[in-house]
Amino acid sequence: MGITESEILLGIVKVVLGGIAAFLAIMLWSRTREPSWMCVVAGAVTGYAGIVYELLVKLGIVIARDFVVPMTGVLVSSLVFTVLPMVFVILALVLMLFKSR
């Protein structure tokens, strides 16, 4: 069971766009020290790390030997890279809401 040509193309698009987003987020990080924006940056960077990790696993470069969430079969590393970026964005939005009051 190999990776299809369409999956490779989609992976390339994800890596390129995610790389641009992570690069711009790091550039923003150097200009601001506000906690809310730092959380947005952390979300972009961890999201990009998740994209790269997922592609490396699909290509067979990295073997995902990790803990599995009980009764689901989901790898903990995949779960973390899926959930953590959104947690950072949620935290950023909450911080922005409290800051505006």
Side-chain angles (χ1 to χ4, degrees):
M1 183 169 157
I3 189 167
T4 65
E5 190 174 313
S6 62
E7 289 175 326
I8 291 173
L9 182 61
L10 182 60
I12 291 170
V13 170
K14 283 181 174 182
V15 167
V16 169
L17 293 178
I20 292 170
F23 175 76
L24 293 174
I26 291 169
M27 294 297 291
L28 175 66
W29 195 345
S30 68
R31 293 180 183 250
T32 184
R33 296 289 183 221
E34 292 182 37
S36 57
W37 281 109
M38 290 176 74
C39 286
V40 170
V41 169
V45 171
T46 55
Y48 180 64
I51 290 169
V52 171
Y53 177 76
E54 174 188 341
L55 189 61
L56 291 174
V57 169
K58 279 186 179 180
L59 291 173
I61 297 171
V62 172
I63 299 172
R65 294 184 186 161
D66 201 359
F67 295 108
V68 177
V69 177
M71 297 173 21
T72 63
V74 177
L75 294 174
V76 171
S77 59
S78 296
L79 182 66
V80 166
F81 281 129
T82 301
V83 172
L84 197 58
M86 278 297 115
V87 169
F88 279 125
V89 171
I90 290 167
L91 182 60
L93 294 172
V94 168
L95 289 171
M96 285 181 193
L97 280 173
F98 283 125
K99 180 181 138 187
S100 65
R101 288 185 177 197

